[in-house]
Structure formats: structure tokens, C-alpha cells
Amino acid sequence: MFNLIDKLTGWMDKMAEGSARRMALSTGRRSFLARTGAVIVGGALLPVLPFDRTFGVLPANAAESDEFSCEYWRYCALDGNLCNSCGGTLTQCPPGSEASKVSWVGTCKNPVDGKDYLVSYNDCCGRSECDNAPFCNTNQGERPGYRMGLHNDINWCMANASVGYHCTVAVLVGLAE
Amino acid sequence: MFNLIDKLTGWMDKMAEGSARRMALSTGRRSFLARTGAVIVGGALLPVLPFDRTFGVLPANAAESDEFSCEYWRYCALDGNLCNSCGGTLTQCPPGSEASKVSWVGTCKNPVDGKDYLVSYNDCCGRSECDNAPFCNTNQGERPGYRMGLHNDINWCMANASVGYHCTVAVLVGLAE
Amino acid sequence: MLKLTHVAFGAFLVAAPAALAEDAFTPEQVSVKEAIDPGPNVFVYQEEWKGAGSIAVFAQDSLKLKGLMSTGAMGQMLVAPDGKTAWAQSSFLKRIVYGPNEQVLQTFDIDKLTVKGEAILPPKAAMALGYSALLRLSTDGKLIFVQNATPASSVTVADAATGATLQEVPTPGCWGIYPLPGKSGFATICGDGTFSTVTVSADGKTASAEASAPIFDPDADPIFIEDESYDGALYFVSYKGVLYKLDPSGKTVAKLETTELTAGVEGGWAPGGYQLMSIAPKAGVLFIQMHPDAKDGSHKFVAKEIWAYDLKAKKVLSRSKVEDVASLVASKSDTPLVFGSTEVGKLFRFETDPAAGYALKSAGETALTGFPLTLDLVE
Amino acid sequence: MLKLTHVAFGAFLVAAPAALAEDAFTPEQVSVKEAIDPGPNVFVYQEEWKGAGSIAVFAQDSLKLKGLMSTGAMGQMLVAPDGKTAWAQSSFLKRIVYGPNEQVLQTFDIDKLTVKGEAILPPKAAMALGYSALLRLSTDGKLIFVQNATPASSVTVADAATGATLQEVPTPGCWGIYPLPGKSGFATICGDGTFSTVTVSADGKTASAEASAPIFDPDADPIFIEDESYDGALYFVSYKGVLYKLDPSGKTVAKLETTELTAGVEGGWAPGGYQLMSIAPKAGVLFIQMHPDAKDGSHKFVAKEIWAYDLKAKKVLSRSKVEDVASLVASKSDTPLVFGSTEVGKLFRFETDPAAGYALKSAGETALTGFPLTLDLVE
């Protein structure tokens, strides 16, 4: 069953090598992470952030400052129901649910300071979908499942004990310089 | 746990007695059933049809002849999704589902012949609610659960092996003379 | 190994984000809110027929959603008078809509929105639209009563603390559970127009029943199963708008008085809907959903107006136009709030004006899901 | 006893209704329709996230609903090329939205809409929005491939006849299943812009993989995972509208050609949606969902137009305005039909006009439920 492993490991090595080449201009792991968004996974490297930011810069507007609106700046790659409209907050799951153990990541520009932030979108789990709350579907930098860390068409409660999808929070975990 | 049975049997006897009194003017079981709508249940009598038909007579119109409309005459006490819009027919459950073993009953006037028919509303069971189909909620002669045979706010798949509610058919089972 | 490392990748982002930035940015941490915000709540049971229903908890003042407690399908909710504990009876089929059905009594901690416990019920519980009379707490808070239908009617008596089933009381031909004041047990409405008073022993394990004299005519003018308790009396209303004031405290239920709500009113108005009335006790006012041009079969019509009826003066104080309200509940405060749900997913908040006969004025609206026909509130 | 007699009461009405009437009235009998009506079908997977999803079967000509096959939550559907068998992969949690998860591969008899069998899968199957590339049948029809995510990616190989799991193939960093023509196995898209060709042994129990040369740039212009096969080639499209024509038949996937769909077109048009394209093979035409003013993050925008693109002439034949189409499928006939679903519950039927560049014209509409993002059809 695992006669694939050799070849796959070869492929992952190759990918890691490619990422390492891209890493050459940075000075350390932190900068590398912030710049390319790649994350070290068991010794291999998976790209988790797009570095092609050729699309336009968002103008600041009221909705971008309203965390109960799908236009709020942190939600630039959020696909789901807003936890802050379901008993939670921007970064807290509603009482009684569980935060997902794994998450996808977006890169969103804060219209106030003009900086790009890494946003971890954690699903909250083990309760029924909170479709009382607004459902947002934004996809800046979103990629299909072959870039899993950027993919939002999947249930990120997948690694939890109770996988029922409840809602999604948007947690600032880093700066993408 | 069953020290109630004596008293309850007493109560049911009393109810049967009352029904029997109402039955006095009829000549036999069939007439009795058609007239009062009561049904013999294990020796006791439960009223299952209203005999108070003081509300108005329905005018014939197009919708009353359209079996895909909630206004169709047979649906005068139907609460549910129409099976004929979900792969079944007026009297057939959709393939793959099961007809309910028990049912509630309405009395509906056929605008064509002007007669009142007894309509057995059977739920079809064991599939997800067919909310692709129209949802109808009509309640002529409908009564709360203390007249269970006339009650439609309950899942009549309750006595089946698979109790999932799928849709509802309307089956002519008698004439209410 | 691959699996573990990939899981670690996600966990890594959450656990060690500080490493990501070079400047003074302080990363946030994902967490779970421990408890709902304080303040009085409105509870709405969002029933589902092909999936998980939920008890939604809203702030009375803002209608802000405080969270959901998830149940199975085709269920009923029950909220303790102190607002700290809730129960739900619902169905969990092996394949959601087919296969063996496990009917479960869940106990919830409302503050934390957690499942405190669950107990398996006899597989007979009524799978019905939401009606508060189908899942009840005894007056002393020690017993849960579950309405069964096979379609034969019976009531499962369970221990409120553990959920354990204590007995099943046959209630043939009767429906609805109305806890008796001052003793253990319940009254139930019977198909011949009587009530049955079921007294349950202190340990919950035995019961005896006594039928009342005829109270209403189930053929000519049946009563809704929605009840309200006020000033020691139990109130029901009939399809045609007759208000029944009953005394449930004796050996059998006794009729104290009937009043015609619509006496002297033109337009063929009648009560309609599901949880169609609620009494604001301090005001002594009954709020009730009404629709015009009533006819056979209109008894579930949504409200075109909500009437405020003075129970002492026996007169309609005000009539407020509303849109599509199917169920309502009133608060117990001096100036009652009224919350109404629609079949299609809205929760309305109304303030009332005592100076205007407790007329309703719109004061908020939010979204509901499922079939939201049961409401409750605790102040 | 009470229970039995009451059940008998209902059965009595059905079994002995003839006794109810005195004149010549012939009572009807309730029954179950044995099979769906013949004729070509459209299948729509109506996904649910807190309850039972379903595969809905519609007549291609009338859009009449022929019935539903119920699944669990967060599932995927698969229809055999002969239109006789369907499969679904979905999740059944003990408490619908919490508790242990049983992931099940159901096998359905489409004619009878019955569950022919079910098999328990390794509890890793992707719980994703509907994408046909996440649940696939091998070209010889003998194996089922299930996309897993933990979030590490792997593929469960199951016996199509029994549902039994044969092996789990790790596919780290890759996603989507594209059955290989002429041999057992599948290709998959990898995060570095290559494809991996996974060859599965005849008994389904072992596998080997080979990576292709780089095919696309996942950073600059990623491809959607929706594929179409035509004339031996495998087609994909990128976010920016580049059509990739690939050869999946060799040891590794090879790039044959790329074309810019939007070359020379003003307005910033780009492909968007979920199941966003479909090839009508006799016409040699690709139907693809397009939206204007494309930007980062617009790749799931619903279609404002559906374009008909001639694969041989490499040009856009027609552009038809549509409303909110999120997924589509085209029939294989000379004059193709196109069926499109919206995120909010509509199924559209379009006829095409070969004389007008296969322009679409509306020819029917019906209701959908859930998240209806996967469509299939069999003629």
C-alpha cells in the first residue's frame, strides 16, 4: 500500500527544494514565512499563501470596518457563517462549540494601516451550521485543495472529534510584509 | 406502571358509550362510519372525522382541479410536501420510499360531483423531506392531537421502520354521505 | 506520519504565530467563548425535519444571537423557569432520515450552551411540530413529561436530573401536558371534550388518572392545545375564539368561566397559529394572534393582528397589525415585550405601550431558520 | 395492547376502506411507485451541512422531479455512465452535527431509487462542497476513488461492486481525481503545478505514482479542479481563463496546448463558479461560466454569461446572458441541452441553437434545495 511513499517523498523533496530556492533572499525562517507564506510541515514545505498580489488594492469604506458585514477587511477569504453573529466574537467560537484544530489562511489588507495580515480562518465545530448568521463567501488568494492551506471549500472541522460545521472566526496570526 | 389502565379503560368505555349514543340514529357500522367518522379501535371508539360542516361550501375553480396546486380539492386537510411533485403520484409514494402504516383523514368536497370524500393522507417515509415539492398547509376539519386521526402536525411515519418524513399522498378511501 | 504532520501544520499556525512577524504585531489566539453574555433571553426552537434542529438563544433587548444548542430532528424544547437548564426531545436516525431511530432527551447548560447529559427515551415520543405542551417540566421541577404518539397517546415520565425514564403513562385519546400546580402530575385534553388529571407519585413511578366533566365541544368548537397559566387558573382558547378559564388544582379539572374574545367585533376574526397566545401576568393581559374571515381550516393562519385582551376587565384593549406571526411569547415585566416568530424565518421584537392598551410597536427583527414555532423566555 | 390497536386503526383505514361507502365508489389504495419513469435524467446533488443531503433525479425534457436518494451530510455524488447506479460518500454523525462520524459509501439503484448497499469508509473522506473530482469511478467501472483530507490528502480506493475499501493511496499536496483512460488509476493535480499519475493495480490493492513536468503556475494563475474529457484529451481552465488541453494517457500527464478563452475580449471576463464548464462532445463545444471585471477572489462568482467555445476552431461562438448560474452540465446530443444550478435553489434548463453558435435560451426552471453544486446527466 505504501510503495508510493518513495516517489511521493521525492516529489515533496522537490517541492521543498523549490520553496527553499525562493527562500534564498530572506534571512531566516520568520521572514520566509511572512514573505512567501510557506509553512514547514514535517520537514517538507507547503505553500500556504499566494505571493502574486497583482490584483488591486481595496479602498477603505464603511463595510470594511463593520465586522458584522461580509465586506469586513479580515474576511477577504472567508467562506462560511460569521461566528460573531452566532454568539462568538471575531476570534472566539460561540460557547459550547470547539475551535477547529486546523485552519486555512488568507492574506488581507487592513485599510487602516495599509498592511497585509495573515488571517487564520478557524471553523467552530460540533454544533449545527449557524445559518442564522450571515453567510460570507470571499476568496482573495483562495486556491483549490492542491493548496490545502489556502482552500476554503472544505470543512476545517475535519480534524476535530466532532466535525459538525458551526461557523467561522477570523484570527490575525501574522503580518505578511 | 399500569395502575392507570382500569381508570383509562373506564374512560374509554365512557367515550365509546357516548359515541354509541350518537350512533343511535344510524343503521349499521358503515353508515355510522360515514356519518360520524368514528373508527372502531380495539373495541373502543375514537372520533376521527368532524361532523360539524357548518363552514362554507367551496366554489369550483381551476386550482381545485390542479393536483399540483395546494388548492386541489383533495388537499383540504393536507400538511406537507406533495408526493406527486416528488416522483410519486396522487396516491403513490415516490420510488424508494415507504407508505406510512398509519394516516390522518380529511373530509373534502369534490367540486365536480359535489360529494364529500374521506381522504387518507399517508406520509411517505424513509427519505429526506422533499422540499423541492410544494409545501401545502390546509386544515379543513383538522383537530389537535386529542383527535389524533384528524391531526396533521405530526409525523405519520411514526409507526414505520424508517420514520424520516418524505412527502404526503391523498388517497380517496370513502364517501362521507 | 503524513497525516500527523499535516495536522501539525494547522496547529502550528495557531500555536506559534508570534514567529510570523518581525515588528510589534501581537498575534491573536483563537479560543472558545466560555459562557453567553448575561441578561434576559428569548429561546426559539428551530425545528428541522431532515437534520439537526437547534435551540437559539437571543438577547431580549437587542435580539443578538447568543448561540445555538443543537438537537436532533423533529424535536421539542423545554426551558427551566430559572433559565439555566434546557431540555430537548428529538430523533436521531442512524442514517438521519432512515434506519433505526434513537429518541434522546438532551439536557443543556444554558450559560455554557453545552450538553450536560443525554438519556435514551422509549422510542415513542411524538415527532411533531413544535408545541410547548408536548415536553413539560413538573411544577416542582423534578420530572420531565414527554408526549408520546405511536399513534396511541401516552406520556413518558423521566427524572429531570438524570433523564432516566421512570414510567410510561397511557393517555389514550388525550393530548398535551399541563403540569398540575402544587402536586406532581399533569392534566391532558381528551378527544371527548373532557380533561384527564393524571397524578404522579412522588417517586415518579406510578400514576392515577381522573376524568373531568365535559369542558368543551371538540366537534363544534375545539380548543387549541396552547395553554397559559395565570393567577392559579389555566387558560385555553377555542378555534372560534372562546377563552376557557379552568381550575386545574382539584381532583379533576373544573371549568371556571368562558368568554368570547370576539364578542361585538365585526370581520369574522378568530385566533390562529401555533403558539398563539401568551399572558403578561403583571399587566393581566393576554396577547393573542388573530386573523379575519375565519373559516373551517383557518385555525393555523398566521396573525394579521395581535390583540391585547384584559383578563380582568374582559375586554380587548388594543389590536395591533402584524405580519405573518405564527407563534409568540410575552415577557413578564410591567411593560411587556412580545416576541413573535414567522413560519419563514423571522423573529420580531415588539414593545408595548400600557397607555395605549398595550398596543405593539415593532422594535427589532432578526433571522430564524427551520420551523421556528416554539418560543420561551426567562427574565 | 393499546399501542397495537391504535396502529391497527390506521392500517384499517388503508386496508378496508371499501366498507366506508354505500354506493359504487371504489376506494383507492395507497402504494409505492416501483420505478422512476423512463427517459434521460439530470442528477443534482443537494448537499446539506446539518442534515441529510440528496441526489435529486429530474427528467431532462420536463424538469419533472422523479425522486430523491437520501445521503448523509457534507457528501459527494457519483453517477455511473449507464445511469443505472449512483454512489454517494457522506457523513453520518451520531448526533447529526456532533459525536462520532461514520463516513459511508452508499450504492443506489437509480431506477428504483433504493439503497442497494452501503460500506463504511476510512473516516478521512473530504467533507467539502460538491465537486465531481472528489468522488470518481475508474474508467473500467470497477473501482471507486474517494478524495480524503485530514487535511493531508489521500485517496481511498474501493471496490465499485461491494464498496469495500481496497487501499488508501497517499497523495500529499495533490487534489482531485481524474480517472486514467485505458488503464486503472487516476491523475491528480499537485500544489507545485505538476500532475501526479497514480496507476492502480488490477486488483486495486497497490499503486505507484509518477509526477509530470510543471503544467501550470499555481501562484500566478491556478487551475480550477473541474475537468472535462473530450477526444482523448483532458481539459482544465485557469482562474484567468487559460484552457489547458492535457494528455492523461501516458506515464505522466502531458501538456498538449493552452488557449486563452478571453483573447481579444474586453471587460475583464474570467471563468467562475464551481462545476463551471462542460463539453458537448458531438458539437465539440465547451460551455463555460463567465463573469466580467474579474479580480483576485472572484473565481467563485456566479456566471453573468455562459460562453460557447468551439474547441476545434478555438473561438467563442456565442455569449448568453444568464442569472446566477454556479454550476452547469451539458448533454451529449447533437443539439445540446445545458442545465445550470444556482447557489440559492434553482435548476435552469437551456436549449441551444447550433445556428446561433449554440447560444442558450431558457427552457424551464424548477426548485432545488441545499447547496446544489454538482450536476450530472446520462442520456
Side-chain angles (χ1 to χ4, degrees), chain B residues 3-4 11 55 146-147 152-153, chain C residues 131 169 172 207 223 296 300:
Chain B
N3 57 348
L4 255 182
W11 171 79
F55 294 104
Y146 53 75
R147 288 281 176 93
N152 68 15
D153 283 343
Chain C
Y131 280 106
V169 182
I223 58 172
D296 181 13
K300 293 179 200 163

Side-chain angles (χ1 to χ4, degrees), chain C residues 216-294:
Chain C
F216 70 102
D217 184 335
D219 297 309
D221 190 21
I223 58 172
F224 291 89
I225 68 166
E226 167 69 10
D227 66 307
E228 281 288 290
S229 289
Y230 170 60
D231 211 8
L234 188 59
Y235 288 84
F236 291 89
V237 69
S238 75
Y239 282 21
K240 292 182 176 171
V242 176
L243 188 67
Y244 286 75
K245 182 180 181 184
L246 308 179
D247 176 5
S249 67
K251 193 176 167 192
T252 62
V253 173
K255 180 155 62 177
L256 297 176
E257 191 177 44
T258 60
T259 331
E260 282 189 51
L261 290 179
T262 58
V265 179
E266 297 292 310
W269 290 82
Y274 295 86
Q275 185 172 315
L276 80 174
M277 64 180 190
S278 186
I279 291 173
K282 288 188 184 164
V285 164
L286 173 81
F287 293 96
I288 183 164
Q289 298 169 190
M290 303 292 290
H291 63 277
D293 306 320

Side-chain angles (χ1 to χ4, degrees), chain D residues 30-183:
Chain D
V30 67
S31 63
V32 179
K33 194 169 175 178
E34 281 196 21
I36 63 173
D37 292 332
N41 298 318
V42 184
F43 302 88
V44 182
Y45 186 57
Q46 303 183 129
E47 189 176 11
E48 296 281 345
W49 283 65
K50 59 176 184 179
S54 57
I55 301 175
V57 186
F58 297 93
Q60 281 187 25
D61 54 359
S62 63
L63 291 188
K64 187 174 160 65
L65 180 60
K66 296 185 180 183
L68 303 181
M69 295 176 277
S70 293
T71 74
M74 303 176 282
Q76 304 291 335
M77 81 160 175
L78 169 63
V79 179
D82 66 2
K84 298 297 182 192
T85 304
W87 294 268
Q89 172 277 106
S90 60
S91 288
F92 295 94
L93 283 69
K94 187 175 186 199
R95 295 297 175 236
I96 308 181
V97 295
Y98 67 93
N101 183 12
E102 193 165 54
Q103 292 194 305
V104 175
L105 181 68
Q106 294 166 300
T107 308
F108 297 99
D109 178 322
I110 291 176
D111 278 344
K112 296 182 176 173
L113 301 181
T114 49
V115 181
K116 283 203 300 188
E118 62 170 47
I120 309 302
L121 291 166
K124 300 178 168 187
M127 297 174 285
L129 287 184
Y131 280 106
S132 57
L134 303 186
L135 182 66
R136 276 276 161 85
L137 190 65
S138 63
T139 305
D140 63 8
K142 290 182 181 166
L143 301 174
I144 303 268
F145 302 125
V146 181
Q147 178 69 61
N148 297 327
T150 63
S153 173
S154 64
V155 170
T156 294
V157 179
D159 185 313
T162 65
T165 294
L166 301 173
Q167 69 167 324
E168 182 193 343
V169 182
T171 51
C174 307
W175 196 247
I177 300 162
Y178 309 98
L180 299 175
K183 60 186 167 186

